[in-house]
Amino acid sequence: MWFQIILIIALAGIAVYLVRSTPSPRHLAIRRLLVLLALASGVVVVLWPGLLSWLASLVGIGRGADLLFYLAIVAGLIYVVNEYKRSVQLTRANTQLAREIALTEARLVDRIAELEARLAEKPST
């Protein structure tokens, strides 16, 4: 029962993160710390395999493999949400760049036409 509550809270947290958060350098640092924590946890679980079963029984799950599976699902969802948000951010940046390039090109064409008109008005010496 405990783990079901924890899992529901984790999924709700992922949903809130998907809707509310914007990527920033702070998020990158947190993400890196979580990856390091996951790697360190993996090393600990490899060294002491009974620890995962003990944690599973502590949160009300029968086997350690099931706990690992549930945690992998949450980690996978976090990864997918992060990649989705990054993709949206890159698309917005790409759109902004395309707009800036189009406006700059239009200004440049106008400026060239203006300079050519000035040259045409001036009598040649």
Side-chain angles (χ1 to χ4, degrees), residues 21-46:
S21 179
T22 57
S24 68
R26 193 177 104 200
H27 286 105
L28 182 62
I30 290 172
R31 194 174 10 195
R32 287 181 179 165
L33 285 175
L34 287 176
V35 169
L36 286 176
L37 180 68
L39 291 173
S41 298
V43 169
V44 168
V45 168
V46 167

Tab-separated table of all heavy atoms in Angstrom, residues 21-46:
chain	number	residue	atom	x	y	z
A	21	SER	N	6.790	23.232	-15.354
A	21	SER	CA	8.198	23.574	-15.284
A	21	SER	C	8.764	23.950	-16.652
A	21	SER	O	8.334	23.444	-17.674
A	21	SER	CB	8.969	22.392	-14.731
A	21	SER	OG	10.316	22.694	-14.672
A	22	THR	N	9.725	24.870	-16.630
A	22	THR	CA	10.470	25.203	-17.838
A	22	THR	C	11.924	24.837	-17.599
A	22	THR	O	12.450	25.044	-16.518
A	22	THR	CB	10.373	26.704	-18.160
A	22	THR	OG1	10.850	27.434	-17.033
A	22	THR	CG2	8.949	27.102	-18.472
A	23	PRO	N	12.591	24.297	-18.610
A	23	PRO	CA	13.983	23.886	-18.417
A	23	PRO	C	14.879	25.079	-18.089
A	23	PRO	O	14.715	26.162	-18.632
A	23	PRO	CB	14.361	23.284	-19.763
A	23	PRO	CG	13.076	22.944	-20.419
A	23	PRO	CD	12.072	23.921	-19.906
A	24	SER	N	15.798	24.872	-17.194
A	24	SER	CA	16.728	25.909	-16.792
A	24	SER	C	18.021	25.233	-16.358
A	24	SER	O	18.074	24.009	-16.225
A	24	SER	CB	16.137	26.731	-15.655
A	24	SER	OG	16.057	25.941	-14.498
A	25	PRO	N	19.071	26.005	-16.130
A	25	PRO	CA	20.318	25.393	-15.650
A	25	PRO	C	20.145	24.665	-14.322
A	25	PRO	O	20.825	23.682	-14.053
A	25	PRO	CB	21.258	26.592	-15.506
A	25	PRO	CG	20.727	27.606	-16.448
A	25	PRO	CD	19.241	27.401	-16.466
A	26	ARG	N	19.229	25.147	-13.486
A	26	ARG	CA	18.977	24.470	-12.216
A	26	ARG	C	18.407	23.071	-12.445
A	26	ARG	O	18.793	22.114	-11.775
A	26	ARG	CB	18.003	25.305	-11.389
A	26	ARG	CG	17.932	24.844	-9.939
A	26	ARG	CD	17.045	25.721	-9.142
A	26	ARG	NE	15.802	24.965	-8.959
A	26	ARG	CZ	14.653	25.498	-8.648
A	26	ARG	NH1	14.553	26.781	-8.493
A	26	ARG	NH2	13.601	24.770	-8.504
A	27	HIS	N	17.501	22.954	-13.419
A	27	HIS	CA	16.946	21.646	-13.733
A	27	HIS	C	18.016	20.705	-14.263
A	27	HIS	O	17.990	19.510	-13.986
A	27	HIS	CB	15.807	21.773	-14.751
A	27	HIS	CG	14.567	22.326	-14.152
A	27	HIS	ND1	14.172	23.606	-14.376
A	27	HIS	CD2	13.663	21.775	-13.329
A	27	HIS	CE1	13.052	23.831	-13.714
A	27	HIS	NE2	12.723	22.733	-13.065
A	28	LEU	N	18.931	21.253	-15.044
A	28	LEU	CA	20.018	20.423	-15.567
A	28	LEU	C	20.871	19.883	-14.429
A	28	LEU	O	21.242	18.702	-14.421
A	28	LEU	CB	20.877	21.231	-16.543
A	28	LEU	CG	22.022	20.489	-17.201
A	28	LEU	CD1	21.512	19.342	-18.048
A	28	LEU	CD2	22.851	21.440	-18.032
A	29	ALA	N	21.164	20.723	-13.454
A	29	ALA	CA	21.949	20.278	-12.306
A	29	ALA	C	21.194	19.209	-11.512
A	29	ALA	O	21.778	18.197	-11.106
A	29	ALA	CB	22.282	21.469	-11.409
A	30	ILE	N	19.902	19.423	-11.313
A	30	ILE	CA	19.093	18.434	-10.581
A	30	ILE	C	19.055	17.111	-11.344
A	30	ILE	O	19.192	16.036	-10.773
A	30	ILE	CB	17.676	18.980	-10.339
A	30	ILE	CG1	17.734	20.121	-9.327
A	30	ILE	CG2	16.736	17.885	-9.861
A	30	ILE	CD1	16.430	20.868	-9.163
A	31	ARG	N	18.909	17.216	-12.663
A	31	ARG	CA	18.863	16.001	-13.490
A	31	ARG	C	20.174	15.224	-13.379
A	31	ARG	O	20.171	14.007	-13.248
A	31	ARG	CB	18.588	16.403	-14.930
A	31	ARG	CG	18.200	15.255	-15.796
A	31	ARG	CD	17.785	15.681	-17.164
A	31	ARG	NE	18.092	17.096	-17.400
A	31	ARG	CZ	17.616	17.824	-18.366
A	31	ARG	NH1	16.812	17.301	-19.205
A	31	ARG	NH2	17.928	19.072	-18.531
A	32	ARG	N	21.282	15.953	-13.413
A	32	ARG	CA	22.580	15.283	-13.288
A	32	ARG	C	22.743	14.637	-11.922
A	32	ARG	O	23.281	13.529	-11.809
A	32	ARG	CB	23.704	16.277	-13.548
A	32	ARG	CG	23.816	16.624	-14.999
A	32	ARG	CD	24.929	17.578	-15.253
A	32	ARG	NE	25.007	17.871	-16.684
A	32	ARG	CZ	25.675	18.868	-17.199
A	32	ARG	NH1	26.331	19.686	-16.403
A	32	ARG	NH2	25.697	19.053	-18.494
A	33	LEU	N	22.287	15.308	-10.888
A	33	LEU	CA	22.367	14.714	-9.555
A	33	LEU	C	21.503	13.453	-9.455
A	33	LEU	O	21.907	12.460	-8.838
A	33	LEU	CB	21.934	15.730	-8.498
A	33	LEU	CG	22.941	16.818	-8.177
A	33	LEU	CD1	22.336	17.831	-7.210
A	33	LEU	CD2	24.196	16.224	-7.585
A	34	LEU	N	20.321	13.487	-10.073
A	34	LEU	CA	19.461	12.304	-10.057
A	34	LEU	C	20.094	11.142	-10.813
A	34	LEU	O	19.998	9.989	-10.388
A	34	LEU	CB	18.091	12.641	-10.638
A	34	LEU	CG	17.194	13.502	-9.755
A	34	LEU	CD1	15.900	13.847	-10.485
A	34	LEU	CD2	16.882	12.801	-8.453
A	35	VAL	N	20.747	11.450	-11.928
A	35	VAL	CA	21.423	10.388	-12.682
A	35	VAL	C	22.555	9.795	-11.845
A	35	VAL	O	22.716	8.568	-11.776
A	35	VAL	CB	21.943	10.918	-14.035
A	35	VAL	CG1	22.875	9.922	-14.693
A	35	VAL	CG2	20.781	11.222	-14.956
A	36	LEU	N	23.331	10.660	-11.186
A	36	LEU	CA	24.406	10.155	-10.329
A	36	LEU	C	23.845	9.333	-9.173
A	36	LEU	O	24.407	8.288	-8.811
A	36	LEU	CB	25.252	11.317	-9.802
A	36	LEU	CG	26.176	11.961	-10.817
A	36	LEU	CD1	26.884	13.158	-10.202
A	36	LEU	CD2	27.187	10.959	-11.334
A	37	LEU	N	22.744	9.778	-8.591
A	37	LEU	CA	22.101	9.035	-7.507
A	37	LEU	C	21.613	7.676	-8.002
A	37	LEU	O	21.785	6.657	-7.313
A	37	LEU	CB	20.946	9.844	-6.921
A	37	LEU	CG	20.190	9.199	-5.774
A	37	LEU	CD1	21.097	9.105	-4.550
A	37	LEU	CD2	18.957	10.000	-5.447
A	38	ALA	N	21.035	7.647	-9.191
A	38	ALA	CA	20.555	6.378	-9.757
A	38	ALA	C	21.725	5.426	-10.020
A	38	ALA	O	21.632	4.227	-9.754
A	38	ALA	CB	19.774	6.640	-11.043
A	39	LEU	N	22.823	5.981	-10.539
A	39	LEU	CA	23.997	5.134	-10.782
A	39	LEU	C	24.574	4.595	-9.481
A	39	LEU	O	24.921	3.410	-9.384
A	39	LEU	CB	25.052	5.919	-11.559
A	39	LEU	CG	24.699	6.246	-13.005
A	39	LEU	CD1	25.758	7.164	-13.602
A	39	LEU	CD2	24.574	4.982	-13.821
A	40	ALA	N	24.664	5.447	-8.486
A	40	ALA	CA	25.183	4.999	-7.189
A	40	ALA	C	24.249	3.948	-6.580
A	40	ALA	O	24.709	2.951	-6.013
A	40	ALA	CB	25.349	6.186	-6.248
A	41	SER	N	22.937	4.163	-6.723
A	41	SER	CA	21.974	3.177	-6.217
A	41	SER	C	22.126	1.849	-6.956
A	41	SER	O	22.023	0.780	-6.344
A	41	SER	CB	20.550	3.690	-6.396
A	41	SER	OG	20.365	4.857	-5.669
A	42	GLY	N	22.373	1.914	-8.249
A	42	GLY	CA	22.592	0.692	-9.022
A	42	GLY	C	23.801	-0.077	-8.531
A	42	GLY	O	23.766	-1.305	-8.398
A	43	VAL	N	24.876	0.633	-8.228
A	43	VAL	CA	26.083	-0.020	-7.717
A	43	VAL	C	25.798	-0.666	-6.362
A	43	VAL	O	26.193	-1.815	-6.110
A	43	VAL	CB	27.243	1.005	-7.620
A	43	VAL	CG1	28.413	0.416	-6.852
A	43	VAL	CG2	27.673	1.434	-9.007
A	44	VAL	N	25.074	0.048	-5.505
A	44	VAL	CA	24.751	-0.492	-4.173
A	44	VAL	C	23.892	-1.743	-4.297
A	44	VAL	O	24.130	-2.749	-3.610
A	44	VAL	CB	24.048	0.592	-3.319
A	44	VAL	CG1	23.449	-0.003	-2.068
A	44	VAL	CG2	25.036	1.688	-2.972
A	45	VAL	N	22.910	-1.710	-5.196
A	45	VAL	CA	22.013	-2.854	-5.360
A	45	VAL	C	22.768	-4.058	-5.955
A	45	VAL	O	22.515	-5.206	-5.590
A	45	VAL	CB	20.801	-2.460	-6.231
A	45	VAL	CG1	20.013	-3.672	-6.653
A	45	VAL	CG2	19.913	-1.506	-5.468
A	46	VAL	N	23.723	-3.775	-6.838
A	46	VAL	CA	24.521	-4.877	-7.393
A	46	VAL	C	25.381	-5.503	-6.302
A	46	VAL	O	25.526	-6.729	-6.230
A	46	VAL	CB	25.377	-4.369	-8.572
A	46	VAL	CG1	26.444	-5.387	-8.954
A	46	VAL	CG2	24.495	-4.058	-9.770
